Amino acid sequence: RMDPQVVNEQLILRHQDILIPGRGDHYRAALFCEDDSPSYPVIASNLVFIIRARQKQILPLYLLWVLSQEKIETFLRGVTRGSSIPFLPKSNLGEVNVDVPPLETQHHIVELIDVQQKQQQLLKKMARNSDKACWTKEQIKRRHEHRH
């Protein structure tokens, strides 16, 4: 266990920090939530970039959505260096341009994302339960014959 006094304060994760891996083949952004963390500080590896949204200008969930777009991931894969284990230079991460609409618009986008995610969860649940809800003609016929 590390002594928190020795750790750089910048590396201690905060609620709604956005994390992007600095090495590997995939650069999908992830959101750190304090609810998911233990009671002690969580320290980011030096293989992960921490992005902290200035919440008076940009909502963390909106920024996460922007950074999760396929075109951003494609851009990040395109600027990686190295052959066996690709790495993403920090300077290239800074080249990502993010459109920052007014906060009200960002809130609307985040609400739409939330609705879309809930809809996807419901569709998955319906798909899992569809075998229980749908009967073939043969099953209906057998059930009908069994009753009579």
Side-chain angles (χ1 to χ4, degrees):
R1 200 163 158 156
M2 297 181 80
D3 180 3
Q5 305 293 332
V6 179
V7 176
N8 180 343
E9 195 69 28
Q10 296 281 337
L11 297 177
I12 297 175
L13 295 179
R14 299 180 198 156
H15 183 61
Q16 294 195 330
D17 276 349
I18 297 170
L19 309 174
I20 295 183
R23 290 192 175 271
D25 296 322
H26 303 285
Y27 297 97
R28 177 144 314 244
L31 187 72
F32 176 78
C33 296
E34 278 186 301
D35 301 343
D36 301 336
S37 71
S39 58
Y40 48 85
V42 176
I43 301 166
S45 157
N46 62 351
L47 302 176
V48 175
F49 293 112
I50 303 169
I51 299 171
R52 294 196 169 113
R54 293 185 185 122
Q55 295 190 26
K56 290 184 179 180
Q57 299 169 347
I58 189 164
L59 300 174
L61 290 172
Y62 171 78
L63 182 56
L64 176 69
W65 175 74
V66 170
L67 294 174
S68 297
Q69 299 300 307
E70 185 63 34
K71 68 180 183 178
I72 300 293
E73 276 193 72
T74 301
F75 169 78
L76 294 177
R77 278 193 302 272
V79 296
T80 58
R81 307 261 193 280
S83 55
S84 59
I85 301 176
F87 71 94
L88 176 64
K90 186 176 184 178
S91 59
N92 291 114
L93 185 59
E95 293 175 17
V96 174
N97 289 320
V98 175
D99 290 327
V100 183
L103 284 172
E104 183 179 351
T105 303
Q106 293 179 47
H107 279 289
H108 290 307
I109 291 170
V110 168
E111 288 171 9
L112 287 172
I113 294 165
D114 186 50
V115 168
Q116 181 186 27
Q117 288 174 343
K118 286 178 181 173
Q119 181 184 31
Q120 288 174 346
Q121 289 171 348
L122 284 172
L123 289 171
K124 285 179 185 177
K125 187 174 181 179
M126 288 171 57
R128 281 194 308 267
N129 293 329
S130 67
D131 61 330
K132 298 173 188 170
C134 298
W135 292 0
T136 63
K137 288 181 184 179
E138 189 61 37
Q139 288 172 319
I140 294 170
K141 184 178 175 185
R142 273 189 266 150
R143 188 175 174 113
H144 180 72
E145 289 171 355
H146 182 68
R147 287 187 176 171
H148 295 276

